[in-house]
Amino acid sequence: MPTAIAVTSTDLVLPPTGPGTPQAAVLPPPESRPLDASLADMQQLLARYGHVVVVCPTAAPPAVEHRLRAVRALLESDRIALVRTDLPPLGAAVLVRQLRQLAGYDFSPGVLASAARLLAHYIYAGAVLGSVSRLDHVPVSLGSHLKGWLPGAHFAVLAGPTPQIVRLGSRSGSAAGSRSAAGSRSASGSASGSASGGEHLAGPEFATELLLARGQLQTDWPTTTLVPEWRIPGPVHEAPLPASSPGWWGTGKLVEFAAYLPDPAVLHQLVSSVRREACHWCGMELIGDRCGFCAAPLPPAAPPLPDPGSRALGPGPREGGHALGTGTRTARPALP
């Protein structure tokens, strides 16, 4: 029985890549669903799938998170994982689809929930923006704010894995659509569609596909410049712009993009290659340094035992001292 992948918005549901990709369960927003109905929805998912992994962006309204926590608390269930992600809307949707792909394999619910943090590091999510004056989720320097006042200034912004902002040429690809990537850059770096000062967005060092979502900004920069620079071999796919994207990026004049690992077999190999641990609190399997269900961090590794043949250094335990046994339980961690 596959683990259910649930989301807090239809923006997070992309078309499946194949017939084996499970669907995602969309949880209605709190303002459109009373609490007892939300409880019934979650009970049905638990009864059908056994475990539920809910992906909730950190940029979602606070009421969404409060409802999820209330549902989990009232059901007193340890089979609901609340996964938060800082990715922008299109990147978060890609992450959800990858989790859906992995849900079709034999991964345990704990591994699937904790895999979200691992997969997010392999998603290069960004956008081309007409302005960065209202961009709050990526650090913006004073220089970038000032350059934003120049006529026709556009910016290529990378939100993750490492934030980066690059100012583009004055027309940002409007005239560069018929040029090659090499021809679109002049020696001074000021050609249309090129990055000023010779800067480029740091791209992935592995094969990816690119997904675009077009807003009100007219630019071909992602396809004419970013694709060759990042050596993306496959076709460029397009999706509708998520409704939450203008708010996340601070402007409706944008083209959002996300480069990602498209092959489910590669994703399976990536997750399978990570060492699995058992959560010391809830017993779930996990990868990485934190449980996806109870948020308990992985305890530090025990110090190596001293060599029996060598003399122990330093004073022994004080008289009357007490040692904690290995079965002592630490305080319960805060739930995610």
Side-chain angles (χ1 to χ4, degrees):
M1 179 183 301
T3 301
I5 305 298
V7 295
T8 57
S9 169
T10 56
D11 287 347
L12 298 176
V13 183
L14 292 173
T17 56
T21 304
Q23 294 294 329
V26 180
L27 303 178
E31 61 271 15
S32 66
R33 196 78 166 162
L35 178 58
D36 57 347
S38 295
L39 288 170
D41 293 341
M42 186 62 68
Q43 285 177 321
Q44 289 180 1
L45 288 175
L46 291 173
R48 180 177 180 183
Y49 295 97
H51 292 81
V52 180
V53 175
V54 184
V55 180
C56 177
T58 55
V64 175
E65 180 186 0
H66 295 162
R67 172 60 61 87
L68 292 173
R69 292 188 182 277
V71 167
R72 186 169 60 177
L74 291 173
L75 292 178
E76 296 182 347
S77 175
D78 57 359
R79 295 180 293 150
I80 304 171
L82 178 55
V83 175
R84 310 304 305 275
T85 178
D86 295 326
L87 288 170
L90 190 64
V94 169
L95 174 63
V96 169
R97 185 166 63 182
Q98 290 180 337
L99 290 175
R100 291 162 52 196
Q101 292 171 329
L102 292 177
Y105 290 92
D106 57 350
F107 290 119
S108 66
V111 169
L112 192 62
S114 54
R117 297 179 64 194
L118 171 67
L119 298 177
H121 290 289
Y122 292 87
I123 297 176
Y124 283 69
V128 182
L129 306 179
S131 171
V132 293
S133 61
R134 296 183 179 179
L135 179 60
D136 296 328
H137 297 281
V138 179
V140 182
S141 66
L142 177 60
S144 295
H145 273 297
L146 295 177
K147 291 176 182 178
W149 292 99
L150 298 176
H154 292 158
F155 297 87
V157 182
L158 192 64
T162 302
Q164 186 183 2
I165 298 179
V166 171
R167 179 177 176 266
L168 304 180
S170 59
R171 285 175 287 176
S172 185
S174 59
S178 59
R179 303 180 185 179
S180 65
S184 66
R185 294 194 293 269
S186 66
S188 62
S190 60
S192 175
S194 63
S196 64
E199 289 185 276
H200 304 284
L201 289 185
E205 298 181 355
F206 46 87
T208 61
E209 286 187 0
L210 190 69
L211 180 66
L212 293 181
R214 299 184 182 274
Q216 300 174 9
L217 187 66
Q218 300 297 320
T219 177
D220 294 325
W221 184 86
T223 55
T224 60
T225 302
L226 191 64
V227 166
E229 284 184 353
W230 285 6
R231 299 179 181 179
I232 297 176
V236 176
H237 305 279
E238 295 203 19
L241 184 72
S244 56
S245 290
W248 199 98
W249 293 103
T251 177
K253 294 183 178 180
L254 81 158
V255 175
E256 193 171 4
F257 58 82
Y260 58 95
L261 292 167
D263 190 348
V266 174
L267 297 174
H268 181 274
Q269 182 180 6
L270 176 64
V271 175
S272 299
S273 64
V274 182
R275 179 180 175 179
R276 303 185 189 186
E277 304 279 356
C279 177
H280 69 93
W281 179 259
C282 69
M284 283 284 192
E285 269 192 319
L286 63 92
I287 60 174
D289 60 356
R290 186 173 295 275
C291 178
F293 275 80
C294 72
L298 191 67
L305 296 175
D307 186 354
S310 64
R311 185 176 180 180
L313 299 179
R318 294 181 180 179
E319 186 175 351
H322 299 278
L324 291 176
T326 56
T328 302
R329 206 174 204 185
T330 58
R332 178 166 184 166
L335 291 177

